[in-house]
Amino acid sequence: MAERNDKYNLILDSLQKLLESRRLQTISVSDIAEEAGIAKGSIYYYFPSKDAILEALVERNYEQPLTTAKNLASQTDIPPFTRMAMIFQACRNSSNAYLKSDDESSVGAPEKALLHQKYMNHLISEFRPVLAEIIRQGIDAGEIRFDRPEELAEIALIVLAVKMDNTVVPSSKEEIENTIAALIALLEKGTDNPPGSLNFLMA
């Protein structure tokens, strides 16, 4: 398994290295294999396509906050809203990690835009089932009153991802805080909790 992980990461490292000087559409699986110093067939043992390598690269770069978030769903001894706050914090940490790496990267603008799109999709799709499960557990426990947990999770994550990322719709710090405050107010109203009771979610 260790050998497999080493080669798997070598392939991802090689694509990341190539992206520093070339556009994605000019990079082939053969180029990645050559950069990695391995046979092209070895790549297909781990990945079915170049797109799959790119997806895995995005996932690897931001996996720690996502792993933390996924582990929270099973911790039913922690109140649902506390776990939601931890999910939101993990979302924030993941966005901060992405923006920091993006600032330090020498990847060209088209590649940054593509990686950014992949990142946003990955962030929302990975967090959504985790957050929905926490909301569902809160509903079952009678702590949350709402009948669309998946949709509520998706709405919250889209708003959080877009505002915390702050590149899709650039906003001032005050505008971001106001949008998040509005999201919290909607969550309170939608889950039948008193105004101000969920402010800690974004503390």
Side-chain angles (χ1 to χ4, degrees):
M1 182 62 73
E3 181 182 350
R4 172 175 178 171
N5 286 338
D6 287 346
K7 190 170 286 188
Y8 180 95
N9 284 309
L10 175 61
I11 294 167
L12 299 186
D13 291 340
S14 298
L15 176 57
Q16 188 161 340
K17 177 71 173 174
L18 289 169
L19 284 170
E20 292 177 1
S21 58
R22 295 174 56 181
R23 300 186 66 174
L24 181 66
Q25 58 262 43
T26 71
I27 300 171
S28 66
V29 172
S30 295
D31 294 330
I32 298 170
E34 183 178 348
E35 178 69 29
I38 60 176
K40 181 178 177 180
S42 296
I43 289 184
Y44 288 115
Y45 177 77
Y46 298 100
F47 303 101
S49 65
K50 182 177 73 175
D51 284 344
I53 302 173
L54 182 63
E55 296 282 356
L57 178 61
V58 170
E59 180 176 352
R60 185 187 70 171
N61 285 353
Y62 313 105
E63 66 183 348
Q64 187 54 55
L66 296 175
T67 300
T68 300
K70 289 174 182 177
N71 289 339
L72 290 173
S74 61
Q75 299 183 28
T76 54
D77 55 318
I78 302 174
F81 281 119
T82 301
R83 282 182 284 154
M84 284 176 67
M86 296 166 78
I87 292 288
F88 291 176
Q89 186 60 51
C91 183
R92 176 186 289 169
N93 291 344
S94 185
S95 292
N96 288 342
Y98 174 81
L99 292 172
K100 184 174 185 294
S101 67
D102 191 48
D103 288 341
E104 296 172 351
S105 172
S106 57
V107 175
E111 281 62 46
K112 281 187 178 181
L114 177 60
L115 286 169
H116 183 255
Q117 179 184 0
K118 295 280 188 185
Y119 161 72
M120 293 284 280
N121 178 271
H122 180 70
L123 180 72
I124 294 169
S125 63
E126 288 293 311
F127 274 122
R128 181 173 52 199
V130 182
L131 183 55
E133 177 59 23
I134 292 172
I135 294 170
R136 192 176 295 108
Q137 291 169 3
I139 293 170
D140 292 343
E143 299 176 47
I144 297 175
R145 285 163 289 281
F146 200 79
D147 60 358
R148 306 285 288 273
E150 290 83 5
E151 289 78 7
L152 181 60
E154 184 171 33
I155 290 167
L157 288 170
I158 289 173
V159 173
L160 288 170
V162 169
K163 298 312 289 188
M164 289 177 180
D165 174 87
N166 205 28
T167 59
V168 178
V169 183
S171 308
S172 68
K173 184 173 183 292
E174 182 181 4
E175 288 171 334
I176 293 172
E177 290 174 351
N178 288 341
T179 300
I180 300 303
L183 172 63
I184 297 300
L186 283 172
L187 286 172
E188 288 169 343
K189 187 175 181 62
T191 58
D192 199 20
N193 280 272
S197 62
L198 302 185
N199 285 340
F200 75 95
L201 287 177
M202 293 308 299

